[in-house]
Amino acid sequence: MMNETLIRATVFAAHKHRHQRRKMADAIPYINHPLDLIHILAIEAKIADINVLCGAVLHDTIEDTDTEYDDIEKLFGPKIADIVAEVTDDKTLPKAARKQAQIEKAPHASPEAKLVKLADKIANMRDMAANPPSGWEIARIIDYIAWSKEVVDRMRGAHEVLEKLFDAAYETARAAHQGAKPLGLLE
Ligand code: ZN
């Protein structure tokens, strides 16, 4: 299952994210997050599509590093580059608009991008439950959880196993922060 392209993509992502840390309290290396996605897709959901797995491991390179679409296209081909581009937020937009754009774009994403997006939301939901970003007040966490579910709800029918994994992670995250009141930032 682990083929040459996926190994190259994983090494490329590890290099690009090498100076970044996750924003959770324990500040683990950033690459753990893309690795969470390929674990969810390949091991938990048994997805073997190499384009999806490479798209997943590279999914934050354009958004969060100096990587450009052309770099990925040159190294990994247009199919993988297109998947990464599809799951890349437009950072010129303010935060609220970016979140709204994810909700609106979700149902129109390609089947491959939907799988990457679902795995991303599962990984983030598990983090919210077990290891939320440091400095976030509980209401912000609750808002984030609700927003993630809204994005996933607009991709229902894309992949049954991934949706079930998300629902389980969502329930755990909700239970972990029960009793907190949402800020309603998206209202
Ligand atoms: Zn991500």
Side-chain angles (χ1 to χ4, degrees), residues 36 49 183:
D36 282 344
D49 183 335
L183 278 176

Side-chain angles (χ1 to χ4, degrees), residues 13 29 46 62 76 104 109 139 151:
K46 309 279 180 236
I62 296 179
F76 305 108
E104 281 162 19
V151 176

Side-chain angles (χ1 to χ4, degrees), residues 106-121:
H108 312 294
S110 67
E112 291 87 353
K114 279 182 183 170
L115 301 181
V116 173
K117 195 104 244 186
L118 281 165
D120 193 28
K121 293 287 179 260

Side-chain angles (χ1 to χ4, degrees), residues 163-176:
E163 286 161 49
K164 281 194 173 142
L165 290 171
F166 175 83
D167 291 338
Y170 170 82
E171 290 305 329
T172 307
R174 282 290 301 163

